[in-house]
Amino acid sequence: MAKWTPTHEAPEPLEGPVVATVTGGTIIWFVLFLVQLPFYGWFDDHGHLWWLWTCAAGAGLGLIGVWYVRGRDAALKRAATPGPDAEPGAAGPEPGPEPQ
């Protein structure tokens, strides 16, 4: 059987409001945790305590995700803006002779 190879290029990744999306998801997980907290005893009695801890884990991992996407967004913005001494249209430093 021959290996399948794509005949076209992969599409560019979608860029959207990533920070807002991750923050919103984190808030939803945290709110779900808080809503389920008063029913801790019921969840424990019926063997569904993992529901509560799943929401807590989602909120905790979401905080890591918010930290990550904010840093990523800041790095993308830094890379997109030229430095203060960059000339318009210059891509970077000119390659020159090696120092002797």
Side-chain angles (χ1 to χ4, degrees):
M1 178 175 235
K3 181 181 175 188
W4 179 80
T5 56
T7 58
H8 60 324
E9 292 184 29
E12 292 292 320
L14 296 175
E15 288 294 330
V18 180
V19 176
T21 303
V22 174
T23 303
T26 303
I27 291 170
I28 289 171
W29 280 114
F30 186 67
V31 167
L32 286 171
F33 173 75
L34 292 178
V35 166
Q36 292 179 5
L37 200 55
F39 304 103
Y40 185 91
W42 185 89
F43 285 127
D44 194 22
D45 293 342
H46 291 86
H48 296 300
L49 199 55
W50 64 272
W51 290 6
L52 184 74
W53 299 120
T54 299
C55 294
L61 291 172
L63 290 175
I64 295 170
V66 169
W67 170 77
Y68 178 81
V69 296
R70 288 186 68 198
R72 178 185 177 270
D73 195 41
L76 288 174
K77 287 180 181 175
R78 277 193 312 269
T81 57
D85 49 332
E87 295 178 19
E94 294 286 326
E98 299 267 335
Q100 302 279 336

